[in-house]
Amino acid sequence: MKAENRRPVRKKTEGGPSFPTQRLQALLDELISDNYDHQKCITNLKEHTECHDFLFYTLKSLSIIVKKHNKESVTEVYMNNLMLVLEQMNIPDATDSLIVCTKLFREEKDKDGKKITSNSKLNLSYPKAKRAINTIWNEVISYPLTGSLYRRCLILIPEKVMHHLEKPIRLTGFFMDAYDLGGALSLLALQGVFILVNKYNLDYPNFYQKLYGLLEPTIFHAKYRPRFFMLMDRFLSSTHVPEYVIAAFIKRMSRLSLSAPASCLILILKFIANLLIRYPGLQLLIHNPDATNLEDDPFDPDEPDMSKCRACESSLWEVATLQQHVVPSISKATGFLEKTLPIMEYDISELVEATYEEVHEKSCKLIVHETVATTFHKPTGLFTHHDDKMSDDWCVL
């Protein structure tokens, strides 16, 4: 392709540099096959897509390929190949033109130092690239997708694609269809909806209610647990969310802490503390004398409507029970119940991926002071305590 760029097979009538688009399209046609998995070959595109001239013409070629492909003959192999190609691209942000910082076809010089070719005049227009992106993704989301492909789309679209689309609001139906599939897909779908609400003024009043419904015991064992808590922290960072909504989230996590694995408890406790720091009005939940145990607690964990679950009338008695936890780091994390909350929030980014092994290692490294009493009398043998009545009836043979 570099050789053809320097010496084109067909001369351009308008002159200037030429990009071998026909050869590139033939290459992509072969890579995005209906029958053969070309994963190893496609991953090699990553280093080339960092060159913006190659990236620009790849987008143009892909828009032609997906548009002419028959939707009825789409196979899972074809979709996997196409998604893998799209995942290799990091499209630069621009407002009026595609910023050209690196090129695949650089200016080359002969032995005498004269330029052989110049690509500075290649028309790498961002509006044209944007039209190609819109064409590609309008086709992709119209294809029948498996759960795995849905997951890959839901990760890729909010992070790399959405801000390049002309009308991102059209993705609302796609995100809602993904949410109905349940599991981790629901969380990933809500990330896209949150961006639409936050940046594109989507009116979606049930967003926090759907997020609240995802807080189940199974979330602590899900593959996307770190992503879930980081996104939920972002979703609940707005100071415009009603306090009864935040109170419901605090109580739901507090109740889940009674059955959550030990590796997640510090994360839950720090998350609750952060919400109390953001919303000082909810600190009354720490010491509410009217709800000190399960019998007195008015909170209804089975009520899906956060305005009716009575979380604001409850307390954090579940967190108080963890003060007696056998793991010292967990009981220490409940210290915000007895002390004044700090001004700065806790950093939970290092806690979202905590494992049992890490909790065990930290517990083993704790220094035990020699002055800690472990028994009343230092034993010298079996049944040797002076007040031990068992030695009257038992003996070692």
Side-chain angles (χ1 to χ4, degrees):
M1 289 177 65
K2 287 186 176 181
E4 187 173 334
N5 173 250
R6 292 195 297 268
R7 300 175 181 85
V9 176
R10 298 177 180 83
K11 291 185 177 180
K12 295 184 68 177
T13 55
E14 66 273 16
S18 171
F19 194 97
T21 53
Q22 292 184 343
R23 190 172 297 277
L24 176 61
Q25 187 169 329
L27 173 65
L28 292 173
D29 256 325
E30 184 63 30
L31 289 177
I32 308 175
S33 169
D34 286 302
N35 304 315
Y36 299 101
D37 185 357
H38 292 299
Q39 179 178 353
K40 292 183 179 179
C41 296
I42 293 174
T43 51
N44 292 329
L45 285 177
K46 178 69 175 179
E47 59 180 296
H48 300 302
T49 56
E50 293 176 359
C51 303
H52 295 159
D53 52 352
F54 185 87
L55 174 62
F56 174 76
Y57 287 101
T58 299
L59 287 171
K60 289 189 67 175
S61 299
L62 280 179
S63 65
I64 297 172
I65 291 172
V66 297
K67 203 167 184 179
K68 72 178 183 180
H69 198 279
N70 186 3
K71 292 184 180 181
E72 297 179 358
S73 62
V74 169
T75 63
E76 188 174 350
V77 175
Y78 169 85
M79 287 301 302
N80 282 326
N81 287 330
L82 176 59
M83 285 301 304
L84 192 56
V85 171
L86 295 173
E87 287 168 346
Q88 308 307 310
M89 300 181 182
N90 288 315
I91 305 166
D93 295 325
T95 54
D96 53 354
S97 62
L98 195 66
I99 303 172
V100 185
C101 7
T102 56
K103 300 173 186 175
L104 179 64
F105 300 150
R106 299 178 178 86
E107 295 178 349
E108 300 185 21
K109 298 180 180 180
D110 58 15
K111 294 180 180 180
D112 299 328
K114 295 181 180 180
K115 293 179 181 179
I116 297 175
T117 183
S118 173
N119 291 314
S120 59
K121 294 182 180 179
L122 279 173
N123 184 19
L124 307 184
S125 167
Y126 177 73
K128 291 182 179 179
K130 187 174 181 179
R131 284 197 295 272
I133 296 168
N134 279 266
T135 300
I136 293 168
W137 281 100
N138 285 337
E139 294 294 328
V140 169
I141 63 176
S142 67
Y143 293 148
L145 302 175
T146 62
S148 174
L149 290 170
Y150 254 118
R151 175 183 60 80
R152 294 166 71 178
C153 286
L154 292 171
I155 293 175
L156 193 59
I157 291 175
E159 294 180 354
K160 294 185 178 182
V161 178
M162 190 179 293
H163 55 288
H164 295 293
L165 300 180
E166 292 178 357
K167 295 183 179 180
I169 207 77
R170 291 179 177 176
L171 293 170
T172 306
F174 173 76
F175 288 136
M176 287 300 96
D177 291 341
Y179 177 86
D180 293 335
L181 295 176
L185 293 180
S186 298
L187 165 67
L188 297 175
L190 284 184
Q191 179 188 7
V193 175
F194 178 78
I195 295 175
L196 292 178
V197 172
N198 194 33
K199 292 186 177 181
Y200 302 100
N201 300 320
L202 174 67
D203 184 15
Y204 193 75
N206 295 328
F207 174 80
Y208 286 100
Q209 186 170 336
K210 288 185 177 293
L211 179 63
Y212 182 72
L214 294 178
L215 272 176
E216 298 289 342
T218 54
I219 197 64
F220 299 112
H221 307 279
K223 180 180 179 181
Y224 294 100
R225 184 190 75 195
R227 192 181 189 91
F228 175 83
F229 279 96
M230 292 304 295
L231 287 175
M232 187 167 66
D233 182 56
R234 181 184 172 190
F235 297 158
L236 300 178
S237 61
S238 173
T239 55
H240 299 288
V241 181
E243 281 194 346
Y244 75 86
V245 172
I246 303 300
F249 276 94
I250 290 175
K251 272 302 296 182
R252 176 65 72 92
M253 285 190 287
S254 180
R255 186 62 60 89
L256 290 175
S257 68
L258 298 177
S259 57
S263 58
C264 300
L265 287 178
I266 298 179
L267 169 63
I268 296 174
L269 294 171
K270 298 295 185 183
F271 202 106
I272 292 174
N274 284 350
L275 292 179
L276 293 175
I277 294 171
R278 289 176 201 169
Y279 296 85
L282 293 176
Q283 293 182 16
L284 58 88
L285 294 174
I286 295 178
H287 299 291
N288 185 359
D290 296 331
T292 57
N293 53 50
L294 182 61
E295 289 75 18
D296 300 334
D297 195 349
F299 173 68
D300 183 2
D302 299 322
E303 174 56 60
D305 190 343
M306 292 178 286
S307 63
K308 299 179 181 179
C309 66
R310 302 178 67 186
C312 293
E313 305 172 29
S314 184
S315 69
L316 299 181
W317 62 266
E318 300 95 340
V319 177
T321 61
L322 297 177
Q323 290 178 314
Q324 309 300 323
H325 200 280
V326 66
V327 179
S329 57
I330 295 176
S331 59
K332 184 179 178 180
T334 63
F336 66 88
L337 294 180
E338 306 295 338
K339 301 177 182 178
T340 304
L341 285 167
I343 299 175
M344 299 295 292
E345 295 183 10
Y346 297 103
D347 182 12
I348 65 169
S349 60
E350 297 180 357
L351 303 173
V352 291
E353 297 185 12
T355 61
Y356 278 112
E357 289 76 11
E358 293 175 356
V359 174
H360 178 69
E361 287 179 8
K362 288 182 180 179
S363 299
C364 292
K365 291 178 181 178
L366 290 176
I367 299 175
V368 179
H369 299 285
E370 295 181 358
T371 55
V372 175
T374 56
T375 184
F376 291 103
H377 305 283
K378 186 176 181 179
T380 57
L382 187 64
F383 303 136
T384 56
H385 297 299
H386 64 85
D387 56 350
D388 191 355
K389 301 298 182 182
M390 291 189 67
S391 58
D392 297 337
D393 302 314
W394 296 84
C395 64
V396 179
L397 298 178

